[in-house]
Amino acid sequence: VGKWRPGQGHTTDTTGSIQPLSPSDTMELDLSPPHLGSSPEDLCPAPGTPPGTPRPPDTPLPEEVKRSQPLLIPTTSRKLREEERRATSLPSIPNPFPELCSPPSQSPILGGPSSARLLPRDASCPHVVKVYSEDGACRSVEVAAGATARHVCEMLVQRAHALSDETWGLVECHPHLALERGLEDHESVVEVQAAWPVGGDSRFVFRKNFAKYELFKSSPHSLFPEKMVSSCLDAHTGISHEDLIQNFLNAGSFPEIQGFLQLRGSGRKLWKRFFCFLRRSGLYYSTKGTSKDPRHLQYVADVNESNVYVVTQGRKLYGMPTDFGFCVKPNKLRNGHKGLRIFCSEDEQSRTCWLAAFRLFKYGVQLYRNYQQAQSCHLRPPCLGSPPLRSVSDNTLVAMDFSGHAGRVIENPREALSVALEEAHAWRKKTNHRLSLPTPASGTSLSAAIHRTQLWFHGRISREESQRLIGQQGLVDGLFLVRESQRNPQGFVLSLCHLQKVKHYLILPSEEEGRLYFSMDDGQTRFTDLLQLVEFHQLNRGILPCLLRHCCTRVAL
């Protein structure tokens, strides 16, 4: 019990206002705990009753009694008010980087609802992608977030002023791993680049890829040997190429690719030979001979969650027994050699079969749609990039004759054609002067050096370099290039791919009656220049095993 003395306290009236205690007011407070079971209504005395008297349970609360309300405490302190006053007195300076500052209504705390909206990059914002050419030159391309590999190739073709066709492609290269693969036309370039390790040497290379859709064109025996294809439905003996591809694209059929592969173990030079199977469910190898018993099958990789790459320097980096290696790399693997499943096949034909089947199992019908779309764009006459390249302003041009005092429009088509031929002849004379070539009066005509302006001529490169270029652009029949011979200073070499092997044919010059000729069969078939030789073998096979179909070319960005 405490004593309240006069002038040392306050009292509260029935309205809830605080009044000071008068000197005559003295009260005693009972600080003992309330009785168990007593409610707040029991502890509140009724008007006119002494303090401490419990309220009867049936007595209602008076209306004039008011409960205590929460008091709002202002958050602005004196220091904050001084800062606001100082800020309002200073002149307003515009923010040079408004995109780096969050709006006042959004919370800058990471992990909050506002930061979750700010962290992902806007899909409409452009992304910068660096693309390299085969000569090492680099060009930065600004693309949208959903730009596909086909769209980027079309942009680069227009900038390089090259002819557009379905063979152009982007190649994903990882030099530190000696791996590379060609991107499919529907793949997002930004998503592929986002999966690369930060600070690595991974890059995109823009070049020709003639083998990209060769699986829809070539014969079944060259791409899918009968000994490597097995089906769970019926025997595929005598099946056509179209039916075989349809079985791969059809989700109801279950063809398999089988064959012996050498799998890399834990050590650098530890290679073991296993019988492998490629199915829709994944890649397996048998631990007991050629058995397909599930007890003997070991799971290697998932087709849908992995990508297949070609190993470029297998002997040097991985100690491969052959040069025909490929690698299955999981998508979640960012950097390092750990987690890579590296295989080595016996020859190029078997490796090509494994790579083509892996693409068909993973992409299925989408791969064939890409091929149809590329074919339709290439065969469309008004399509941009189809030869010859013409812009909107070119369609409004007319042939003019400025030989007289005033120019005139040439309306006769034959006259316009003859003028065009004269212009071409004048261009050859200018080219002869620019290249400092000998004139026809000295015994050598311009035709002896016209090949230097062709895309299939690569100058003085080595035999190994020519094989590397043809291999990078796809080992398809008819892919060729012409280079200078290293053994014979006056000769040339035609490098041609046939049956996934590169063969080399020597071209020797010969002079007769003061004129220079070129021949590959000891003078039995002679040509005035290399351009005539190439054009002849594009229509006639001659001594070659196949026609010259595709020229191996390099375009500078």
Side-chain angles (χ1 to χ4, degrees):
V1 177
K3 294 288 186 178
W4 287 88
R5 298 186 179 277
Q8 295 182 356
H10 298 78
T11 181
T12 306
D13 59 1
T14 58
T15 61
S17 59
I18 300 175
Q19 301 293 337
L21 290 174
S22 61
S24 61
D25 294 336
T26 303
M27 61 181 297
E28 294 182 356
L29 294 177
D30 186 7
L31 301 180
S32 60
H35 297 284
L36 294 176
S38 59
S39 61
E41 291 81 359
D42 298 335
L43 299 179
C44 184
T49 59
T53 303
R55 174 180 292 276
D58 298 336
T59 305
L61 288 173
E63 298 180 358
E64 63 271 13
V65 177
K66 296 185 178 180
R67 299 181 183 273
S68 61
Q69 300 295 330
L71 183 61
L72 298 178
I73 302 176
T75 58
T76 57
S77 61
R78 180 179 180 183
K79 184 177 180 180
L80 294 177
R81 289 195 299 269
E82 291 179 358
E83 292 180 358
E84 292 178 356
R85 184 170 59 255
R86 190 183 304 110
T88 54
S89 61
L90 295 177
S92 60
I93 302 176
N95 185 9
F97 305 103
E99 65 276 2
L100 301 180
C101 301
S102 59
S105 61
Q106 297 183 356
S107 174
I109 301 176
L110 295 178
S114 61
S115 62
R117 295 189 300 267
L118 294 177
L119 288 178
R121 192 169 184 178
D122 189 5
S124 61
C125 295
H127 297 255
V128 177
V129 178
K130 289 186 177 181
V131 182
Y132 290 80
S133 60
E134 292 183 292
D135 58 356
C138 176
R139 167 164 288 193
S140 298
V141 183
E142 192 177 75
V143 298
T148 61
R150 187 63 189 173
H151 176 69
V152 176
C153 288
E154 291 176 354
M155 294 175 57
L156 295 175
V157 165
Q158 296 179 12
R159 293 188 180 185
H161 304 285
L163 297 180
S164 177
D165 52 27
E166 72 276 5
T167 58
W168 289 108
L170 288 180
V171 181
E172 178 188 1
C173 298
H174 303 280
H176 64 286
L177 300 176
L179 303 178
E180 63 179 33
R181 76 174 182 97
L183 266 67
E184 305 299 339
D185 287 348
H186 68 279
E187 287 191 78
S188 174
V189 179
V190 177
E191 293 181 0
V192 174
Q193 188 181 33
W196 292 350
V198 180
D201 57 350
S202 303
R203 60 179 60 181
F204 289 121
V205 178
F206 176 65
R207 65 171 177 236
K208 289 274 190 176
N209 186 8
F210 294 96
K212 180 165 58 174
Y213 296 121
E214 193 67 17
L215 55 94
F216 299 114
K217 306 176 184 178
S218 61
S219 61
H221 300 286
S222 61
L223 192 59
F224 297 103
E226 293 184 359
K227 63 179 182 179
M228 295 186 62
V229 180
S230 64
S231 178
C232 296
L233 299 178
D234 299 320
H236 67 280
T237 305
I239 190 173
S240 63
H241 180 243
E242 291 76 10
D243 296 337
L244 180 60
I245 298 297
Q246 187 64 31
N247 289 340
F248 278 101
L249 301 179
N250 187 11
S253 59
F254 300 92
E256 295 180 359
I257 298 296
Q258 61 183 11
F260 283 98
L261 290 174
Q262 297 194 39
L263 178 60
R264 184 194 180 201
S266 57
R268 180 178 179 271
K269 296 184 178 180
L270 184 59
W271 291 85
K272 293 184 179 181
R273 193 168 182 261
F274 294 99
F275 195 75
C276 301
F277 306 90
L278 181 59
R279 302 173 177 174
R280 290 190 181 275
S281 57
L283 181 62
Y284 306 84
Y285 70 88
S286 177
T287 58
K288 187 177 180 181
T290 59
S291 174
K292 294 186 178 181
D293 195 323
R295 298 175 301 174
H296 304 147
L297 294 183
Q298 185 69 29
Y299 182 76
V300 179
D302 187 5
V303 175
N304 298 321
E305 299 297 332
S306 305
N307 286 318
V308 61
Y309 293 79
V310 176
V311 182
T312 56
Q313 299 178 2
R315 291 183 181 269
K316 179 180 179 181
L317 193 59
Y318 302 104
M320 285 185 176
T322 65
D323 295 328
F324 314 107
F326 63 94
C327 172
V328 178
K329 180 176 175 292
N331 296 336
K332 61 181 180 180
L333 184 63
R334 289 297 185 101
N335 198 0
H337 298 264
K338 188 177 180 180
L340 298 178
R341 307 311 299 263
I342 304 175
F343 300 87
C344 187
S345 58
E346 299 177 354
D347 51 16
E348 182 63 35
Q349 185 182 20
S350 61
R351 180 173 71 169
T352 305
C353 180
W354 287 103
L355 297 177
F358 197 97
R359 295 173 58 206
L360 286 173
F361 278 136
K362 181 175 182 179
Y363 300 108
V365 183
Q366 182 63 45
L367 202 63
Y368 187 68
R369 292 174 182 171
N370 296 342
Y371 170 68
Q372 289 182 326
Q373 184 178 3
Q375 286 291 107
S376 60
C377 294
H378 177 59
L379 297 177
R380 193 181 307 156
C383 178
L384 181 63
S386 58
L389 294 174
R390 297 180 63 88
S391 62
V392 178
S393 59
D394 293 336
N395 297 328
T396 60
L397 299 180
V398 294
M400 298 288 295
D401 180 17
F402 296 98
S403 58
H405 297 283
R408 66 180 183 89
V409 178
I410 303 177
E411 299 179 355
N412 189 357
R414 294 184 178 181
E415 184 181 1
L417 180 59
S418 62
V419 172
L421 294 177
E422 293 179 1
E423 291 290 337
H425 184 66
W427 177 84
R428 288 199 174 193
K429 289 184 178 180
K430 294 180 181 179
T431 306
N432 182 17
H433 177 71
R434 183 171 64 252
L435 295 176
S436 300
L437 300 175
T439 59
S442 61
T444 304
S445 62
L446 174 65
S447 60
I450 192 62
H451 55 269
R452 298 184 181 274
T453 61
Q454 303 302 313
L455 297 177
W456 40 258
F457 185 74
H458 289 257
R460 193 172 184 81
I461 62 175
S462 62
R463 183 189 185 99
E464 293 75 15
E465 181 68 13
S466 64
Q467 294 182 166
R468 186 187 66 84
L469 290 176
I470 294 178
Q472 287 181 346
Q473 298 192 10
L475 293 174
V476 299
D477 292 347
L479 182 59
F480 74 98
L481 62 84
V482 179
R483 57 184 176 89
E484 296 180 0
S485 176
Q486 292 182 326
R487 297 182 179 180
N488 193 332
Q490 297 181 352
F492 300 90
V493 177
L494 173 66
S495 300
L496 174 65
C497 179
H498 178 63
L499 297 180
Q500 299 178 343
K501 295 182 180 180
V502 181
K503 301 180 181 180
H504 307 273
Y505 299 89
L506 183 61
I507 304 174
L508 294 176
S510 61
E511 188 175 353
E512 183 178 351
E513 297 180 359
R515 301 194 63 179
L516 188 64
Y517 296 96
F518 296 91
S519 176
M520 291 191 301
D521 51 4
D522 296 333
Q524 296 183 6
T525 308
R526 298 179 300 178
F527 304 94
T528 58
D529 52 34
L530 294 181
L531 179 60
Q532 187 182 25
L533 184 145
V534 170
E535 291 178 349
F536 173 82
H537 288 93
Q538 286 177 338
L539 302 175
N540 306 275
R541 192 177 67 176
I543 64 171
L544 301 179
C546 62
L547 298 177
L548 304 181
R549 296 173 52 195
H550 314 289
C551 65
C552 182
T553 178
R554 290 188 292 185
V555 175
L557 295 177

